[in-house]
């Protein structure tokens, strides 16, 4: 199966990377479509993008705030939505995206799987001049060790917001 295209405006400053879209996201053709995923709640608190807006409006507002979305993986075989079941992974060209969007200064990894896959397929990203890579807790409902409020707090702390 294949993932989603990047969602990016002209001059993004932040690139948020997941590992690979969930089944719900692939079916909807939308990033973070599972209503139990805390991602849009985090974006509302961190960037003022209302979580209850239609998807296309949220994407436009995120782009206006300088935030781009994509995934480390372009495709894979997987049963269900579990990152642990990813097989035959194909990587997106993250270094190419960063070269094509020189305004990006921060790469945020949404969860441990995104970090592990990026380290495996593009370890050079950590050495790219002017790029800071942050690994944050997954907003996925599968990350049940943290509450939604704890996830929001950790993401806001990384963004330097109370």
């Amino acid at each position: 199966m294949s993932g989603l295209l990047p969602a990016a405006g002209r001059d993004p400053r932040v690139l948020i990377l997941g590992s690979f879209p969930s089944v719900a996201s692939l079916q909807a053709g939308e990033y973070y479509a599972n209503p139990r995923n805390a991602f849009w709640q985090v974006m509302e608190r961190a960037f003022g993008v209302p979580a209850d807006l239609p998807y296309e409006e949220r994407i436009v507002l995120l782009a206006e705030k300088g935030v781009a979305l994509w995934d480390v993986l372009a495709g894979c075989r997987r049963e269900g939505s579990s990152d642990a079941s990813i097989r035959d992974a194909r990587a997106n060209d993250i270094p190419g995206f960063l070269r094509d969007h020189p305004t990006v200064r921060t790469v945020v990894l949404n969860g441990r799987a995104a970090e592990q896959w990026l380290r495996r397929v593009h370890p050079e990203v950590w050495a790219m001049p002017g790029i800071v890579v942050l690994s944050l807790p997954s907003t996925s409902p599968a990350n049940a060790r943290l509450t939604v409020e704890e996830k929001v707090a950790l993401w806001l702390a990384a963004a330097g917001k109370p």
Side-chain angles (χ1 to χ4, degrees):
M1 69 183 81
S2 294
L4 303 172
L5 295 174
R10 285 190 36 197
D11 298 316
R13 293 179 306 284
V14 175
L15 172 60
I16 299 175
L17 293 172
S19 53
F20 190 75
S22 69
V23 170
S25 291
L26 291 171
Q27 289 173 342
E30 300 178 355
Y31 282 99
Y32 304 101
N34 183 335
R36 291 181 32 239
N37 193 306
F39 181 82
W40 291 109
Q41 293 172 29
V42 170
M43 294 302 102
E44 182 167 4
R45 296 273 301 278
F47 296 104
V49 175
D52 59 353
L53 285 178
Y55 176 76
E56 289 302 325
E57 292 179 38
R58 284 181 273 154
I59 291 297
V60 167
L61 282 175
L62 266 187
E64 288 174 1
K65 304 282 184 176
V67 179
L69 304 178
W70 207 13
D71 290 299
V72 175
L73 301 178
C76 67
R77 283 188 312 111
R78 180 182 69 191
E79 293 294 321
S81 294
S82 171
D83 288 328
S85 65
I86 290 174
R87 302 288 179 267
D88 301 326
R90 297 181 321 278
N92 276 316
D93 184 9
I94 305 303
F97 181 94
L98 295 171
R99 282 189 298 275
D100 292 345
H101 298 86
T103 53
V104 172
R105 292 286 163 248
T106 306
V107 173
V108 178
L109 300 170
N110 188 353
R112 185 169 295 139
E115 178 183 359
Q116 289 171 339
W117 279 109
L118 189 64
R119 285 191 186 281
R120 184 179 303 174
V121 300
H122 292 302
E124 69 274 20
V125 169
W126 273 265
M128 292 180 82
I131 301 291
V132 173
V133 180
L134 300 176
S135 188
L136 294 176
S138 174
T139 59
S140 167
N143 180 12
R145 67 181 176 79
L146 297 174
T147 66
V148 169
E149 278 307 311
E150 289 170 325
K151 293 173 189 180
V152 168
L154 289 166
W155 277 69
L156 290 175
K161 298 184 178 193

